[in-house]
Amino acid sequence: MRKLVIYVAVLLAGVGIFSPQASAQDREAERIYTVIVDRFLNGDDSNDVNVTEDKSEALPFGGDFVGIENNLEYIQEMGFNTVMLSPVFEKADDDYLGYDVESYEEIAASFGGGEALENLIDAAHARGMKIIVDMPVIVVDGYEVLDTPVLSDIQQSYYDTTDVQFIDLTDIDNQAQYQEMAQTFVDEYNVDGLSMNVIQSDIDAQRFMPEGVETYAIIEGENVTVEGFDHTTDPALRNAIIEAFSTVDTEIPEYPTEDILLLADHWFTERFTIHAVEANMFPGTRISQLITYLYGYPGAIAFQYGTEVAFNGSDFPEIHPQMDLWTDKEVVDHIVALNEVFSKYPQLYNGEREVIKNAEGHYVQRYRTSDVDFILNINDSSVTKSVDVPIEAEDEGKMLSGLLIGDLLRSSDTEGDAFYAILDREETELYAIVEETGFNNGYLYAGLLIFGGFGIFIWFVAKRRKR
């Protein structure tokens, strides 16, 4: 029902009730879907190597580039315009995650090889999507070894199954060799960005990452500092997001500056869902509230494959199950409908933001743009919440038109100098502040025609049944 309401709101926004238009300067927010290549879908079983039938083993399941390419539409419909791939280089046969690298000059044959990777990137680009590849820091030939990597418990659990050594990225010779290797890879395959699971502090991406691509630092360990990356995760902020959205009545973190990459889980973290389960909360609602919060952020966000279908787990390898596109799609449908709304109004990501309220799971923010302002109202509490949204000088004669649930608040119905917005528990609404309008006669007549016709149909059927 909520999906229907959202689609109707989008339809009305585009053709009659209000029509704030995106300008040429509006930029698309970067929404990243992170994928472990082997754990998505097996699109070509001819390249299967050492594939196990036991899904509890830390061995390959057979996922490949073709499996991802065949499902780009699924990813894009949810609003993700970028796909972040786990490492794609030739690796040990018993490794599924891709960090047990054997050669940076070859693409893993078990994933389909270089040609299949090129096809995936070309298909993504044809859809207007970008591809990011995660770069390992594993010693192959000619690198100085890092003696003291900073590893999370899950990373340690994974690397205990390998014999790898790590590249010291503070070593000048290592930096030059690594940068040349990465630049060759970027130039050959035309990837749009490189990410890195950082295991070493005090490194500068500009000294070892290639030119011409966006760079992303995924930090899991504590007290790790980096420079030079375009986007960096913040472990403390990730924990705050988890704490806020795994349950209710918890203060929601304010959106940070735009160079921070927001996420709740990644492939070297526990699954977000496990926190909701431990708090005895319904995972579907928790994930829906989380993704709505993430979509309201103007900067880059990352969302791990399978979180939309409530994948669970706290350790390696159970946190990396096979993707299931045929499970309950309630949250997927919510994300698709959510994307319909947010993608229609990219201008809200370009203006200034002001927090109106943030207390006990109730977060209200105003987006100021050059044409239409928006109000994001997240009630992530256990009770119905209200908020007074101040009516500013430019709001006179306007109303709050809900885009997600369909709530309408007119200034003529308010008392004093504020819109009085009420939301039920665990609900979110995005309002556009638009000119007040009366009934749209076209829609009124259409509604009367539809329901009138339906009434005549019921009468006709009932009459025939009586005969």
Side-chain angles (χ1 to χ4, degrees), residues 347-348 350-354 366-370 372-374 392 394:
Q347 65 264 46
L348 69 84
N350 293 274
E352 297 180 354
R353 306 188 303 275
E354 176 191 350
R366 180 168 182 148
Y367 299 82
R368 301 183 185 278
T369 79
S370 59
V372 174
D373 285 5
F374 298 84
E392 301 181 1
E394 61 269 27

Short mmCIF file of all heavy atoms in Angstrom, two decimals, residues 347-348 350-354 366-370 372-374 392 394:
data_model
loop_
_atom_site.label_atom_id
_atom_site.label_comp_id
_atom_site.label_asym_id
_atom_site.label_seq_id
_atom_site.Cartn_x
_atom_site.Cartn_y
_atom_site.Cartn_z
N GLN A 347 17.76 18.35 -6.79
CA GLN A 347 18.17 19.66 -6.30
C GLN A 347 18.27 19.72 -4.78
O GLN A 347 18.98 20.57 -4.23
CB GLN A 347 17.21 20.76 -6.81
CG GLN A 347 15.77 20.66 -6.28
CD GLN A 347 14.85 19.95 -7.24
OE1 GLN A 347 15.21 18.90 -7.76
NE2 GLN A 347 13.67 20.51 -7.49
N LEU A 348 17.60 18.81 -4.08
CA LEU A 348 17.67 18.88 -2.62
C LEU A 348 19.06 18.54 -2.09
O LEU A 348 19.40 18.82 -0.95
CB LEU A 348 16.60 17.99 -1.96
CG LEU A 348 16.69 16.47 -2.04
CD1 LEU A 348 17.58 15.89 -0.96
CD2 LEU A 348 15.30 15.88 -1.89
N ASN A 350 21.82 19.82 -3.31
CA ASN A 350 22.77 20.86 -3.70
C ASN A 350 22.75 22.11 -2.82
O ASN A 350 23.62 22.95 -2.94
CB ASN A 350 22.50 21.28 -5.15
CG ASN A 350 22.82 20.17 -6.13
OD1 ASN A 350 23.94 20.01 -6.55
ND2 ASN A 350 21.82 19.35 -6.46
N GLY A 351 21.73 22.26 -1.99
CA GLY A 351 21.62 23.47 -1.18
C GLY A 351 22.14 23.29 0.24
O GLY A 351 22.78 22.30 0.59
N GLU A 352 21.81 24.27 1.07
CA GLU A 352 22.20 24.21 2.47
C GLU A 352 21.20 23.34 3.24
O GLU A 352 20.05 23.17 2.85
CB GLU A 352 22.24 25.62 3.06
CG GLU A 352 23.29 26.51 2.42
CD GLU A 352 23.29 27.91 3.04
OE1 GLU A 352 22.39 28.19 3.89
OE2 GLU A 352 24.17 28.70 2.68
N ARG A 353 21.66 22.82 4.39
CA ARG A 353 20.80 21.99 5.22
C ARG A 353 20.74 22.57 6.63
O ARG A 353 21.72 23.09 7.14
CB ARG A 353 21.34 20.56 5.26
CG ARG A 353 21.56 19.95 3.90
CD ARG A 353 21.90 18.47 3.98
NE ARG A 353 23.08 18.18 4.78
CZ ARG A 353 24.32 18.23 4.35
NH1 ARG A 353 24.56 18.60 3.08
NH2 ARG A 353 25.32 17.94 5.13
N GLU A 354 19.57 22.43 7.23
CA GLU A 354 19.38 22.91 8.60
C GLU A 354 18.61 21.88 9.39
O GLU A 354 17.51 21.46 9.00
CB GLU A 354 18.62 24.24 8.60
CG GLU A 354 18.30 24.75 10.00
CD GLU A 354 17.33 25.90 10.00
OE1 GLU A 354 17.03 26.43 8.90
OE2 GLU A 354 16.84 26.27 11.08
N ARG A 366 15.72 20.48 7.16
CA ARG A 366 15.26 21.27 6.01
C ARG A 366 16.38 21.36 4.99
O ARG A 366 17.54 21.60 5.32
CB ARG A 366 14.84 22.68 6.45
CG ARG A 366 14.34 23.56 5.30
CD ARG A 366 13.66 24.81 5.79
NE ARG A 366 13.13 25.63 4.68
CZ ARG A 366 12.04 26.38 4.76
NH1 ARG A 366 11.37 26.45 5.89
NH2 ARG A 366 11.64 27.08 3.71
N TYR A 367 16.00 21.16 3.72
CA TYR A 367 16.92 21.32 2.59
C TYR A 367 16.53 22.62 1.89
O TYR A 367 15.39 22.75 1.41
CB TYR A 367 16.80 20.17 1.60
CG TYR A 367 17.12 18.79 2.15
CD1 TYR A 367 16.17 18.07 2.86
CD2 TYR A 367 18.37 18.21 1.94
CE1 TYR A 367 16.45 16.81 3.35
CE2 TYR A 367 18.66 16.94 2.42
CZ TYR A 367 17.69 16.25 3.13
OH TYR A 367 17.97 14.99 3.61
N ARG A 368 17.46 23.54 1.78
CA ARG A 368 17.18 24.81 1.11
C ARG A 368 17.76 24.75 -0.30
O ARG A 368 18.95 24.49 -0.49
CB ARG A 368 17.81 25.97 1.89
CG ARG A 368 17.30 26.07 3.31
CD ARG A 368 17.89 27.28 4.04
NE ARG A 368 17.48 27.30 5.44
CZ ARG A 368 16.32 27.78 5.87
NH1 ARG A 368 15.47 28.29 5.01
NH2 ARG A 368 16.02 27.76 7.16
N THR A 369 16.90 24.98 -1.29
CA THR A 369 17.36 24.96 -2.68
C THR A 369 16.96 26.27 -3.35
O THR A 369 16.27 27.11 -2.77
CB THR A 369 16.74 23.77 -3.45
OG1 THR A 369 15.40 24.09 -3.84
CG2 THR A 369 16.74 22.51 -2.62
N SER A 370 17.36 26.42 -4.60
CA SER A 370 17.10 27.66 -5.32
C SER A 370 15.65 27.79 -5.77
O SER A 370 15.21 28.88 -6.12
CB SER A 370 18.02 27.76 -6.55
OG SER A 370 17.81 26.64 -7.41
N VAL A 372 12.66 25.02 -4.71
CA VAL A 372 11.74 24.43 -3.74
C VAL A 372 12.52 23.88 -2.56
O VAL A 372 13.52 23.18 -2.74
CB VAL A 372 10.92 23.29 -4.39
CG1 VAL A 372 10.06 22.58 -3.36
CG2 VAL A 372 10.06 23.83 -5.52
N ASP A 373 12.08 24.19 -1.35
CA ASP A 373 12.70 23.63 -0.16
C ASP A 373 12.00 22.32 0.21
O ASP A 373 10.83 22.09 -0.12
CB ASP A 373 12.62 24.60 1.01
CG ASP A 373 13.61 25.75 0.87
OD1 ASP A 373 14.28 25.83 -0.18
OD2 ASP A 373 13.72 26.57 1.81
N PHE A 374 12.73 21.45 0.93
CA PHE A 374 12.21 20.15 1.34
C PHE A 374 12.42 19.97 2.84
O PHE A 374 13.36 20.51 3.43
CB PHE A 374 12.92 19.02 0.58
CG PHE A 374 12.71 19.07 -0.91
CD1 PHE A 374 13.52 19.86 -1.71
CD2 PHE A 374 11.73 18.31 -1.52
CE1 PHE A 374 13.35 19.90 -3.09
CE2 PHE A 374 11.53 18.35 -2.89
CZ PHE A 374 12.35 19.14 -3.68
N GLU A 392 8.62 30.19 7.36
CA GLU A 392 9.48 31.35 7.10
C GLU A 392 8.77 32.29 6.13
O GLU A 392 7.72 31.96 5.57
CB GLU A 392 10.82 30.87 6.57
CG GLU A 392 11.54 29.93 7.54
CD GLU A 392 12.88 29.46 7.03
OE1 GLU A 392 13.28 29.87 5.92
OE2 GLU A 392 13.54 28.69 7.75
N GLU A 394 9.30 33.14 3.12
CA GLU A 394 9.06 32.63 1.77
C GLU A 394 8.06 31.47 1.76
O GLU A 394 7.67 30.99 0.69
CB GLU A 394 10.37 32.18 1.13
CG GLU A 394 11.10 31.06 1.85
CD GLU A 394 12.11 31.56 2.88
OE1 GLU A 394 11.92 32.67 3.40
OE2 GLU A 394 13.08 30.82 3.15
#
